[in-house]
Amino acid sequence: MRTQYKREMDQFGPRQEELEQLYTLIEGGTNMNRKKWIGRRAVLAIAACAALTLTAAAAAVPKVWDALREDLGAFAPYAQTIEGASCTDEGIEVQVLSAISDDLEARFYLAVRDVEEDRLSEFLTLTGRLTAGEEKETETKASAEVIAIAASPFTTGFTLVSYDPATKTALLTAKIGYYESARPTGAAQLELTGMSTRQGTMHGNVSCEAVTGSQLKSLPAGEDDTVVFRATGIFNGEYADAPLPSQKVVLAPGQNPMDIEGTEDMRISSMGFASDGCFHIRLEFAGGVKPATFEPVNIDSETGVNLTAGQIGSEFFCDFLVEGGDQKYHVIQERLVEGGMDILFPLLKVEDLKEIQSQEARVYGTYFRPGADIEGEWSTEFEMEYYPSAVLDWKGTVSGWKMRKVTLSPLSVTMLGHKGDSSGALANTPLYAVKKDGTEIAAEPGTGRYGNLGAAGGEGWEGYATWQFTEPLDLDEIVSLKIRDVVIPVK
């Protein structure tokens, strides 16, 4: 085994002392020790080692590790490899592969593989929960005016990273945000009750450069056509009472078709001006595809009558990716037609042609497509490691906010401060970690909040802000944090 590892590592060219550290890891080192060994060549060596030693499911699907490593990027050396956390039901194998966490946020990776049939695809969604932590009391819980960031020790959201049809394996990721009201613990559990490949998510943009002012062939709208969405009369200002055209028409199909990049489930069938004088976009859906719709509920508080009974709402939209927020590009009516959907823009006329030609129409939202629904029970427990944040010995002021607590981990920074008013909030403020050699590592602003403490008997305002680093820190190399004109020493 030692000879095999050396042969695999030689191609990356690490120093001998680094190889000795790697051998120590393989023969008995711990995950946390591994994650303290940082450096470009170490990243490559660790990734190669992980590709060799990844257990059962991942060993059968080596592309999973490639996708996982690519998604982690510079954070790969800090990620924990989870061993033994797998389960199988209904011919589907689920395995938790990796986790990376501090006490602000945790990220998990899991592989899902069909070991009997071919029911999975790049549209895979999961139903269930991943729990890793517990709720905690916070310093501001008593304040009714301080809006807490949504946080909990679990998540029901799973995002597909990749799908390999050759091995019928999907890699998914899930995140848990702890913030102030939750915290990680050593124990974690994954519980799934179902999975499906029937739901698609669309995010596509289409250039309108080829649109002309010519009137396209139009058809009368059917009396029984279903209108699934209408955004007219809901905006403030000049478009608040935008009327629909008296002539109810839709574009005829197939007049200037174009593909939407990244999908074969739908395309533009016709786009331009109809006989009602308004701009339309007609979408063509592939067989078995339909937009996600719902029945909105608006109960009258006095009579108990459902005021929207019989109406339908849509979770699938088409409008414009337009700068400046001009709402006329977002006032739409969506009508289901044979084989697709007609989107009417009642405020866009021929006189808007040049402006329309410079824009992109966007198609986005959820929809249903042919696929499989699989119900079952997948449950596994595992131990999760995390990097606890250190509380810095500093109580200075940033933009008038007197800081009560500043925390730092290899992955993130948090600040909790107090001020007499709400000015100078730290949201979207850049922050940098400064190394001993003077180089800086950027941290991207994360989620923050601020609120008035007066309603709870306090005084002034409280603010909480978070940042996450673009690459992991070796804390022994960090001497300070920089934010605005303030230098915060790290000891």
Side-chain angles (χ1 to χ4, degrees):
M1 288 290 289
R2 182 183 179 98
T3 301
Q4 180 183 355
Y5 289 133
K6 188 176 188 307
R7 184 169 59 249
E8 294 293 334
M9 296 307 105
D10 281 346
Q11 63 180 306
F12 299 111
R15 298 189 306 271
Q16 181 61 34
E17 63 189 59
E18 293 176 315
L19 283 174
E20 291 299 329
Q21 288 176 294
L22 181 59
Y23 299 145
T24 300
L25 159 68
I26 296 167
E27 296 167 1
T30 66
N31 275 314
M32 293 300 273
N33 286 337
R34 170 175 63 82
K35 288 178 284 190
K36 294 177 182 177
W37 179 36
I38 306 302
R40 179 178 178 274
R41 284 179 291 182
V43 173
L44 294 170
I46 291 168
C49 173
L52 288 171
T53 60
L54 207 58
T55 54
V61 284
K63 286 187 178 180
V64 166
W65 180 253
D66 292 337
L68 191 157
R69 183 181 60 200
E70 182 178 353
D71 198 67
L72 281 169
F75 293 90
Y78 271 58
Q80 171 194 3
T81 298
I82 307 297
E83 298 181 358
S86 64
C87 50
T88 302
D89 191 22
E90 301 297 323
I92 303 292
E93 179 186 63
V94 177
Q95 181 175 6
V96 182
L97 299 180
S98 183
I100 180 169
S101 174
D102 62 2
D103 44 21
L104 176 65
E105 183 181 277
R107 188 178 359 159
F108 303 87
Y109 291 88
L110 55 148
V112 179
R113 181 165 67 109
D114 193 334
V115 297
E116 292 184 356
E117 302 178 43
D118 192 6
R119 294 164 288 178
L120 307 183
S121 74
E122 67 272 23
F123 297 96
L124 180 65
T125 59
L126 304 181
T127 302
R129 171 183 291 200
L130 195 160
T131 305
E134 63 184 8
E135 295 183 355
K136 67 177 182 180
E137 295 292 327
T138 65
E139 300 175 41
T140 59
K141 200 166 185 178
S143 173
E145 291 299 309
V146 176
I147 302 175
I149 301 171
S152 65
F154 68 87
T155 181
T156 58
F158 301 89
T159 302
L160 186 80
V161 177
S162 68
Y163 178 71
D164 178 26
T167 57
K168 300 178 288 189
T169 305
L171 176 68
L172 298 101
T173 186
K175 291 184 179 181
I176 294 177
Y178 297 113
Y179 305 107
E180 298 173 284
S181 59
R183 60 188 166 203
T185 60
Q189 183 177 27
L190 175 68
E191 296 178 290
L192 301 179
T193 58
M195 54 190 69
S196 175
T197 58
R198 292 185 60 248
Q199 181 172 300
T201 302
M202 183 67 197
H203 296 281
N205 296 337
V206 178
S207 172
C208 296
E209 184 178 2
V211 172
T212 71
S214 301
Q215 180 178 303
L216 297 183
K217 183 180 179 181
S218 306
L219 301 173
E223 291 294 330
D224 298 326
D225 287 350
T226 301
V227 175
V228 294
F229 185 77
R230 180 179 296 147
T232 56
I234 65 171
F235 296 107
N236 295 326
E238 61 181 303
Y239 306 126
D241 298 317
L244 294 174
S246 57
Q247 184 183 11
K248 296 181 180 180
V249 299
V250 298
L251 287 180
Q255 298 185 73
N256 47 9
M258 65 180 72
D259 293 334
I260 302 175
E261 186 176 357
T263 183
E264 296 181 357
D265 284 345
M266 62 191 70
R267 66 172 186 164
I268 302 292
S269 177
S270 299
M271 178 166 62
F273 294 94
S275 60
D276 59 4
C278 300
F279 186 75
H280 289 241
I281 294 177
R282 179 165 178 151
L283 297 177
E284 176 186 339
F285 296 148
V289 171
K290 62 180 182 179
T293 59
F294 63 94
E295 294 185 6
V297 177
N298 181 15
I299 304 298
D300 187 284
S301 59
E302 295 183 359
T303 65
V305 175
N306 182 359
L307 302 179
T308 52
Q311 297 185 29
I312 297 177
S314 177
E315 296 179 0
F316 184 87
F317 305 98
C318 179
D319 58 14
F320 276 75
L321 185 67
V322 59
E323 295 182 5
D326 194 332
Q327 295 294 351
K328 68 182 180 181
Y329 288 93
H330 303 285
V331 177
I332 64 173
Q333 176 180 274
E334 297 180 344
R335 181 187 296 270
L336 295 184
V337 293
E338 183 178 356
M341 173 186 286
D342 180 271
I343 301 97
L344 159 67
F345 295 81
L347 299 175
L348 296 183
K349 313 289 185 178
V350 175
E351 54 263 33
D352 300 307
L353 175 61
K354 287 187 177 181
E355 191 175 1
I356 291 172
Q357 290 172 332
S358 68
Q359 307 293 345
E360 287 187 333
R362 61 177 183 173
V363 182
Y364 62 99
T366 56
Y367 63 94
F368 295 106
R369 62 183 311 282
D373 293 321
I374 307 169
E375 294 183 358
E377 294 182 3
W378 296 267
S379 179
T380 185
E381 298 179 353
F382 58 96
E383 291 297 314
M384 183 192 76
E385 298 171 352
Y386 68 95
Y387 294 94
S389 296
V391 179
L392 301 187
D393 185 20
W394 182 83
K395 296 292 191 294
T397 300
V398 179
S399 296
W401 291 89
K402 184 172 178 57
M403 293 302 167
R404 300 209 312 264
K405 181 188 291 186
V406 178
T407 70
L408 173 66
S409 86
L411 311 179
S412 67
V413 172
T414 72
M415 293 187 183
L416 179 66
H418 181 269
K419 192 178 182 183
D421 57 51
S422 61
S423 63
L426 299 180
N428 299 319
T429 302
L431 181 145
Y432 302 89
V434 184
K435 300 172 67 173
K436 291 178 181 178
D437 62 5
T439 58
E440 298 179 350
I441 299 176
E444 297 179 347
T447 303
R449 62 148 179 88
Y450 63 95
N452 192 337
L453 299 174
E459 295 183 357
W461 289 69
E462 184 175 73
Y464 172 76
T466 69
W467 292 261
Q468 292 178 300
F469 289 106
T470 55
E471 63 182 79
L473 303 185
D474 181 349
L475 296 188
D476 292 338
E477 292 294 316
I478 305 302
V479 296
S480 64
L481 303 176
K482 283 174 51 179
I483 179 170
R484 291 183 177 166
D485 58 349
V486 178
V487 176
I488 303 172
V490 174
K491 297 181 180 178

